[in-house]
Amino acid sequence: MPPVEAQKITADYVVVGGGTAGSVIASRLAEDPATSVVVIEGGPSDIDREDVLTLRKWLGLLGGELDYEYTTTEQPRGNSHILHSRAKVLGGCSSHNTLISFKPLPSDWDEWEAAGAAGWGAKAMDPYFGKLRNNIVRVAKKDQNAIAADWIEAVKSALGVPEVVGFNDRPFDEGVGFFDLSYHPENNKRSSASVAYLHPHMEAGDRPNLRLMLETWAHKLELEGTRAKGVHVRTKDGEEIYVEAGREVLVCAGAVDTPRLLMHSGIGPEKDLEALGIPCVLDLPGVGENLIDHPESVIVWETNGPLPGNSAMDSDAGLFIKRDPEHQGPDLMFHFYQIPFTDNPERLGYERPEHGVSMTPNIPKSRARGRLYLTSADPEAKPALDFRYFEDESDYDGRTLVDGIKLAREVAKAEPFKKWLKREVFPGPDVTEDAEISELVRKAAHTVYHPAGTCRMGAADDALAVVDPELRIRGLENIRIADASVFPTMPAVNPMIGVLMVGEKCAEMLVAGPGTGGDSR
């Protein structure tokens, strides 16, 4: 039972996490004026925060006051110094990231269904893209930097890859072009989950049934037998409040904080919890397992001088390659940065050029499967994130990065991109052997900030599935998870739109009622 001294708040639905999926779900549920919704969000509002709302300022948010700053455990074959930024602000990582917006490919959704997520195949999921409120548009002409345009032309000639104008118009295996972004080109304002789904109602005051509890941290779920009753939260001033859900608790805290909250509530691997002195109320061994990501590395060039100043967010174009004809979808991706992205090379002794550009070979379907686990019974202690980067026995991930560096060098030889370049800074033109390339790019590897999978969705006979295809936590009632933690596998593309679509589907399940996923049996 909740402590008697705690203030109690009640609502029909309690949404834990006002991030990418949580913003969608809260907004949709509150469309019914008879339904009350409370959102628990650890960070502040993003309204009137130009440092957040201006898309091109995203780099300044990493490692700042709005970042939870999770670190990795020691990575024997990778980079142990990666800071996994997770946003501490309304809108979550859609208020923090570059807002690259790809509808997951049909092969991504079909892979989920094959993994036991019945009803999540491409045909069923496609309509949810059309429901999104975000302003998803191609990088505007005024933001199309000249070097990025020349890079696209060089890719086409060097690699024979077609240009894609509108990556969301049709499925693709290969392509190069300017991204689609969720933004407003006229003022470079984000069209994040919070901007698209919550701001209109916050500003109009037309949703009295929707309450946002900002700078408030959820630290333990309240259970009564197998029924989720609510959540214990703490305000920034230290006040303890118990928020009770009349219908359901929706956990949308993300791939790190959702499993963290579950485990501190006694839901997770029994052996691990009891070793920390946390009483296990539900032995659910999959909580924290299946930690997946999009690892990437980098190749950096110094340019002959400064670049044109126009850009949407300094990484406006990208490239997809399909090396293996048997593979479903692309198996190598690059972001093209109009900046010298040298954070990790600098740690290895390389110098950042004054002017430069980068390509980041990225592994769309990494074979690494990591694990998130608690290090303490103290809810405020950060969990451990062990991504097990590059530890797959086949070295598929490592070989993918080496292939990426080689292809990037071919692009650098091709005009009209070549004329911009002065020299290769990292790994450096003398690094030509596969083993040497591999070691350097693994040590300089980074993340695209796409952790997922830690409460994966699956079939009833999947012992490590945490939620069923209706997003309900196995063995519990009146509680669902809707965020990137439920991903069974990683989409080949940037996953933000996928998370928004999970939010839309979850909201529809809740509103639809019994027989269509709305009950909690």
Side-chain angles (χ1 to χ4, degrees):
M1 294 294 293
V4 292
E5 67 271 15
Q7 180 188 347
K8 181 178 176 180
I9 294 171
T10 60
D12 293 320
Y13 293 99
V14 176
V15 180
V16 181
T20 306
S23 295
V24 175
I25 293 168
S27 181
R28 291 299 190 191
L29 292 175
E31 288 175 359
D32 179 358
T35 298
S36 56
V37 182
V38 168
V39 178
I40 313 297
E41 168 53 44
S45 172
D46 57 332
I47 286 183
D48 296 328
R49 292 283 305 246
E50 289 307 307
D51 57 334
V52 175
L53 295 177
T54 304
L55 176 57
R56 203 174 179 187
K57 294 184 177 182
W58 70 274
L59 263 174
L61 299 172
L62 304 184
E65 61 169 323
L66 304 180
D67 189 346
Y68 283 108
E69 293 187 299
Y70 293 113
T71 55
T72 59
T73 62
E74 185 71 24
Q75 300 293 293
R77 296 196 77 240
N79 179 4
S80 305
H81 306 276
I82 297 172
L83 188 69
H84 273 267
S85 293
R86 298 284 87 198
K88 187 179 184 180
V89 63
L90 191 65
C93 289
S94 71
S95 290
H96 215 260
N97 62 16
T98 55
L99 289 176
I100 296 169
S101 298
F102 286 103
K103 179 169 65 171
L105 298 169
S107 52
D108 293 325
W109 294 122
D110 289 343
E111 187 177 53
W112 283 25
E113 189 153 55
W120 291 78
K123 186 175 180 181
M125 290 306 298
D126 194 62
Y128 294 101
F129 182 74
K131 293 176 180 284
L132 300 183
R133 294 182 181 170
N134 310 75
N135 192 53
I136 303 170
V137 294
R138 188 169 183 250
V139 170
K141 201 73 178 173
K142 70 179 181 65
D143 293 332
Q144 292 181 13
N145 191 293
I147 193 170
D150 283 352
W151 174 80
I152 290 169
E153 291 303 315
V155 168
K156 289 159 61 177
S157 63
L159 304 182
V161 172
E163 183 173 359
V164 175
V165 177
F167 276 104
N168 290 311
D169 291 350
R170 64 189 62 84
F172 59 89
D173 286 332
E174 295 193 314
V176 63
F178 285 102
F179 291 132
D180 283 12
L181 307 178
S182 293
Y183 85 128
H184 295 278
E186 64 276 12
N187 56 10
N188 197 241
K189 183 179 177 181
R190 290 180 177 273
S191 182
S192 62
S194 50
V195 169
Y197 283 86
L198 296 178
H199 284 201
H201 309 297
M202 295 168 72
E203 291 164 350
D206 60 355
R207 293 276 174 88
N209 56 328
L210 174 60
R211 177 175 179 175
L212 302 180
M213 297 179 66
L214 300 171
E215 297 182 275
T216 300
W217 184 56
H219 58 87
K220 188 177 182 181
L221 296 164
E222 178 72 19
L223 304 176
E224 187 178 83
T226 60
R227 181 184 176 89
K229 295 275 289 180
V231 62
H232 297 274
V233 306
R234 186 177 298 136
T235 69
K236 67 173 179 177
D237 299 323
E239 182 184 7
E240 295 285 341
I241 302 175
Y242 172 57
V243 188
E244 189 166 274
R247 296 186 192 174
E248 290 204 31
V249 176
L250 293 318
V251 184
C252 308
V256 175
D257 283 306
T258 285
R260 177 188 188 180
L261 175 62
L262 263 58
M263 289 189 280
H264 279 296
S265 305
I267 303 163
E270 182 176 24
K271 184 179 177 182
D272 291 359
L273 297 182
E274 294 191 344
L276 292 173
I278 300 172
C280 181
V281 297
L282 178 62
D283 181 16
L284 210 52
V287 175
E289 296 294 331
N290 192 49
L291 177 60
I292 51 180
D293 191 19
H294 277 147
E296 71 174 11
S297 194
V298 68
I299 178 169
V300 182
W301 297 275
E302 182 178 12
T303 55
N304 288 315
L307 305 183
N310 62 311
S311 176
M313 51 76 181
D314 297 308
S315 178
D316 300 328
L319 163 64
F320 290 88
I321 297 284
K322 181 171 180 171
R323 298 166 300 158
D324 177 3
E326 301 300 314
H327 187 84
Q328 293 293 308
D331 59 12
L332 176 59
M333 188 224 177
F334 298 82
H335 299 77
F336 176 66
Y337 281 87
Q338 295 106 250
I339 52 175
F341 190 50
T342 55
D343 293 16
N344 293 309
E346 284 176 56
R347 192 174 41 77
L348 301 177
Y350 289 79
E351 291 187 7
R352 178 187 177 92
E354 183 179 1
H355 307 292
V357 291
S358 319
M359 284 176 68
T360 53
N362 164 291
I363 309 161
K365 296 288 185 180
S366 168
R367 294 188 183 173
R369 292 294 181 273
R371 178 172 177 256
L372 178 151
Y373 56 94
L374 299 184
T375 58
S376 167
D378 179 0
E380 295 195 21
K382 291 182 180 181
L385 278 65
D386 181 5
F387 285 87
R388 298 174 183 158
Y389 289 130
F390 309 107
E391 292 184 33
D392 58 294
E393 289 184 10
S394 67
D395 195 32
Y396 171 85
D397 287 12
R399 288 185 291 108
T400 299
L401 293 187
V402 172
D403 287 351
I405 297 297
K406 291 178 175 179
L407 290 170
R409 285 172 169 168
E410 292 303 310
V411 175
K413 295 176 186 175
E415 294 292 4
F417 183 49
K418 179 183 177 181
K419 71 175 186 286
W420 293 87
L421 305 181
K422 183 176 181 181
R423 65 185 177 99
E424 181 184 313
V425 175
F426 178 84
D430 297 333
V431 179
T432 56
E433 297 297 321
D434 284 7
E436 193 179 10
I437 295 171
S438 177
E439 184 176 3
L440 273 175
V441 296
R442 282 186 285 106
K443 284 181 178 176
H446 203 61
T447 174
V448 201
Y449 306 107
H450 297 163
T454 48
C455 294
R456 82 168 187 233
M457 177 174 19
D461 60 355
D462 182 350
L464 292 180
V466 175
V467 299
D468 68 14
E470 292 181 349
L471 303 177
R472 300 174 297 198
I473 298 178
R474 292 172 55 172
L476 296 179
E477 301 164 20
N478 298 85
I479 185 167
R480 300 180 205 234
I481 299 173
D483 56 32
S485 71
V486 306
F487 284 24
T489 60
M490 182 64 82
V493 294
N494 304 54
M496 182 191 70
I497 294 296
V499 178
L500 290 167
M501 292 168 70
V502 167
E504 286 281 7
K505 185 175 174 74
C506 181
E508 184 178 274
M509 287 175 173
L510 293 163
V511 171
T516 52
D519 62 342
S520 293
R521 291 171 295 178

